[in-house]
Amino acid sequence: MDDKVIIFDTTLRDGEQVPGCQLNTIEKIEVAEVLEALGVDVIEAGFPISSPGDFKSVVEISKAITNPVICALTRAVKKDIEVAAEALQFAKRKRIHTGIGTSPFHIKYKIKTTPEEIIRRACDSVKYARKFVDDVEFYAEDAGRSDNEYLARVIEAVINAGATVVNIPDTTGYCMPEEYGAKIKYLVEHVPNINKAMISTHCHNDLGMATANTMMGVINGARQVEVTINGIGERAGNTSLEEIAMIIKSHHDLKLRTDINTKHIFSTSRLVSTLMSMPVQANKAIVGRNAFAHSSGIHQDGVLKNRENYEIIDPVEVGIRESSIILTARSGRAALNHRLELLGFNLGKEELDDVYHRFLLLADKKKEINDEDIRILTGEVFQGEKSLKLELLQVTCGKSAIPVATVGLKVNGEVHTSTASGNGPIDAAFTAVKHLISKTVHLEEFLIQAITRGSDDLGKVHVQVGHGDKIYYGFGTNTDIITASVEAFIDAISKIK
Ligand code: KIV
Ligand code: ZN
């Protein structure tokens, strides 16, 4: 059996410390519930003494969550520990995370005391926390820049005082991977009672080495990793959960496992990004927009022949439907044809040659060719007779009005009408369309863009509609955004075979 690595998520504590990322209690509960579904083992829910809002969030998360351990942060200060214990009162499984700085910088310039006094305060706080909970994690702040021999003495003392987990943070993100790995190894080999506690990593990304350092910690004996969704956190952030989960899942040679349900990774990433207003960089490993996008012709051809030619992870494993092929001037016929098929076009060789020729001319002028461009390039000639056509659209909406839409749809030459209400005019119109068709469809994605800038300009709508296990794409352009939306919806539905 592979060794389990405990996933300790600190998105709601270290991640939430980022300026502009603050969440209210309801949003924190939403994130905590998603983290539980993702399969994290420990949720660090906050730093209760820091603010009434943090206190309340720890209380409410403790009530809402069943399986993961709920952890609350404190300094090595009695009052902090008392407040954390109170905030955790409803948690089914609880942990207090207390600690103090152990590096020469922190001892001399921050805490302004002596190394011996640090050990005394560390042990006192662990003992005090153990009066309230059975599970106490101790962090040696700035362990990354702490002397290993001294760190080993601190760790031995806090384990004797009752610490169940010992956290070795590289608080400033300074360590090199070998150095951090050697630090963990040193503790494994030189702390006589180390088998009475679990070693935890907590790495920051100031030099872009948080993930590498965390993995070196695990390889050398740590069995808990402190991570955040999308790697958010103080300054350059923390180790990202998704990277560690997928490294462990992909490298069977490590003989490690986590309980992360990796298929929830992408949706969790997007929820955290949206709620915290922190966009995910396009090239971010695992969850970036480009993580499974192929743009060079050679790569596109390779991926279409066999995904594994250029992908080490199946995007489905992290909850992304499929890899994407970005169409540019470097794309080949195979990539264009693949997209055409997704859009519902099945072209013969000559037609494809013709469209490809026009595609290259356009791609020389435009960076990226989108689905709407392709549709225009192929022209109505290949679309055949449309079996569905919007003949009438009338909507009533506005402040205090119930949105109602009447849709007239020509289905195989005959016009049928339907009226429906909804939570907005577009929702009402889509519901009316659904009443007029025989297929069961659901909206997967809906995107409105203004093509230019003025209020009288064209709006472009892109929809993805699900039917069975397939997705159909539709487009609409109109100066009236509701008409564009309904046309896009009908366009997608008309492609269902
Ligand atoms: O980076 C750090 O040292 C921390 C501790 C409070 C665990 O976040
Ligand atoms: Zn930290």
Side-chain angles (χ1 to χ4, degrees):
M1 183 70 168
D2 293 344
D3 248 15
K4 172 160 170 176
V5 175
I6 300 285
I7 301 291
F8 175 116
D9 182 278
T10 184
T11 305
L12 293 173
R13 200 279 297 168
D14 215 325
E16 214 248 352
Q17 279 171 217
V18 176
C21 280
Q22 278 65 41
L23 301 179
N24 62 36
T25 302
I26 308 255
E27 291 166 332
K28 285 189 189 173
I29 294 171
E30 191 177 349
V31 172
E33 284 172 346
V34 164
L35 291 173
E36 178 167 30
L38 181 65
V40 309
D41 301 284
V42 185
I43 295 175
E44 187 161 50
F47 182 9
I49 194 127
S50 68
S51 72
D54 241 43
F55 179 88
K56 184 170 171 228
S57 298
V58 176
V59 171
E60 296 306 324
I61 290 171
S62 298
K63 289 181 191 163
I65 297 301
T66 310
N67 292 316
V69 172
I70 305 300
C71 179
L73 186 79
T74 79
R75 295 165 296 182
V77 172
K78 276 191 166 181
K79 186 73 190 158
D80 283 29
I81 294 169
E82 287 160 11
V83 172
E86 196 191 334
L88 287 170
Q89 62 184 300
F90 299 107
K92 285 105 205 149
R93 300 165 71 204
K94 51 186 103 170
R95 177 183 295 178
I96 290 179
H97 189 190
T98 188
I100 194 163
T102 54
S103 69
F105 294 96
H106 281 225
I107 298 173
K108 193 164 168 202
Y109 302 115
K110 184 181 154 188
I111 313 163
K112 298 188 173 62
T113 186
T114 61
E116 293 315 311
E117 175 62 11
I118 292 286
I119 297 184
R120 193 189 61 73
R121 281 165 66 174
C123 291
D124 282 355
S125 60
V126 169
K127 278 190 201 143
Y128 194 58
R130 279 297 300 256
K131 288 189 195 298
F132 300 94
V133 293
D134 293 336
D135 190 2
V136 174
E137 174 167 340
F138 172 79
Y139 64 87
E141 195 177 9
D142 206 12
R145 294 187 299 171
S146 300
D147 170 68
N148 285 350
E149 227 174 287
Y150 172 66
L151 187 61
R153 283 180 49 217
V154 177
I155 297 303
E156 181 181 354
V158 295
I159 294 175
N160 279 336
T164 46
V165 181
V166 285
N167 178 12
I168 312 301
D170 183 19
T171 304
T172 58
Y174 176 74
C175 284
M176 294 292 285
E178 287 75 14
E179 188 186 357
Y180 189 75
K183 192 173 281 289
I184 301 297
K185 188 166 192 270
Y186 184 90
L187 296 176
V188 169
E189 288 170 355
H190 292 87
V191 174
N193 52 359
I194 196 71
N195 58 352
K196 295 210 177 97
M198 179 175 288
I199 300 180
S200 182
T201 66
H202 179 111
C203 298
H204 279 269
N205 206 28
D206 298 67
L207 293 172
M209 294 191 290
T211 297
N213 286 347
T214 298
M215 284 314 302
M216 286 304 279
V218 170
I219 288 165
N220 284 283
R223 281 296 173 268
Q224 176 178 282
V225 291
E226 303 195 4
V227 291
T228 59
I229 300 294
N230 301 334
I232 61 167
E234 280 279 328
R235 308 181 306 280
N238 290 63
T239 306
S240 81
L241 181 151
E242 58 277 7
E243 292 173 17
I244 296 299
M246 292 316 293
I247 290 170
I248 290 178
K249 189 164 187 180
S250 312
H251 280 269
H252 304 278
D253 48 310
L254 293 172
K255 302 213 175 311
L256 297 169
R257 69 182 170 89
T258 70
D259 279 348
I260 293 297
N261 178 351
T262 61
K263 293 201 168 129
H264 289 215
I265 283 180
F266 187 69
S267 54
T268 308
S269 157
R270 286 304 177 268
L271 176 81
V272 168
S273 164
T274 308
L275 290 179
M276 292 197 165
S277 310
M278 273 285 271
V280 178
Q281 78 191 55
N283 60 332
K284 165 83 182 62
I286 318 294
V287 290
R289 182 163 33 89
N290 292 347
F292 298 96
H294 304 274
S295 57
S296 98
I298 295 173
H299 286 211
Q300 292 180 346
D301 186 50
V303 166
L304 290 173
K305 283 180 176 139
N306 183 338
R307 192 189 55 72
E308 286 178 74
N309 281 331
Y310 286 101
E311 275 178 1
I312 55 164
I313 296 170
D314 183 343
V316 171
E317 285 299 313
V318 296
I320 297 175
R321 191 184 296 277
E322 59 189 359
S323 328
S324 59
I325 303 279
I326 309 293
L327 293 177
T328 67
R330 296 182 301 281
S331 301
R333 266 184 188 67
L336 175 63
N337 197 31
H338 174 74
R339 180 67 62 85
L340 282 163
E341 281 173 8
L342 285 178
L343 293 173
F345 297 106
N346 281 307
L347 306 193
K349 186 182 171 315
E350 272 176 28
E351 289 167 334
L352 178 63
D353 284 349
D354 180 40
V355 175
Y356 186 60
H357 173 71
R358 284 187 281 140
F359 164 84
L360 287 182
L361 293 178
L362 181 64
D364 272 341
K365 297 196 200 103
K366 256 190 113 192
K367 268 195 197 141
E368 197 181 312
I369 303 293
N370 60 34
D371 292 351
E372 175 70 355
D373 298 324
I374 294 177
R375 196 164 164 267
I376 292 163
L377 279 176
T378 50
E380 294 299 310
V381 57
F382 299 127
Q383 288 184 48
E385 197 51 39
K386 277 201 171 175
S387 57
L388 297 179
K389 191 160 180 283
L390 182 64
E391 289 286 320
L392 165 85
L393 174 64
Q394 192 177 317
V395 291
T396 315
C397 62
K399 196 163 186 286
S400 311
I402 295 174
V404 176
T406 300
V407 171
L409 203 59
K410 199 183 224 177
V411 186
N412 295 326
E414 225 181 288
V415 179
H416 301 265
T417 56
S418 167
T419 299
S421 59
N423 61 17
I426 295 176
D427 184 48
F430 281 15
T431 306
V433 171
K434 282 192 208 164
H435 291 161
L436 295 172
I437 55 167
S438 54
K439 292 156 186 134
T440 309
V441 296
H442 59 273
L443 193 62
E444 282 272 335
E445 205 167 303
F446 179 71
L447 182 73
I448 298 184
Q449 286 169 300
I451 289 185
T452 43
R453 284 189 201 115
S455 60
D456 57 347
D457 287 323
L458 279 183
K460 178 163 108 176
V461 176
H462 171 135
V463 299
Q464 289 182 26
V465 167
H467 172 67
D469 59 354
K470 285 217 166 96
I471 293 293
Y472 297 84
Y473 299 76
F475 306 92
T477 43
N478 202 293
T479 46
D480 171 357
I481 206 69
I482 303 173
T483 304
S485 305
V486 177
E487 280 180 340
F489 193 50
I490 292 170
D491 183 39
I493 295 168
S494 66
K495 289 173 187 157
I496 301 174
K497 303 222 167 56

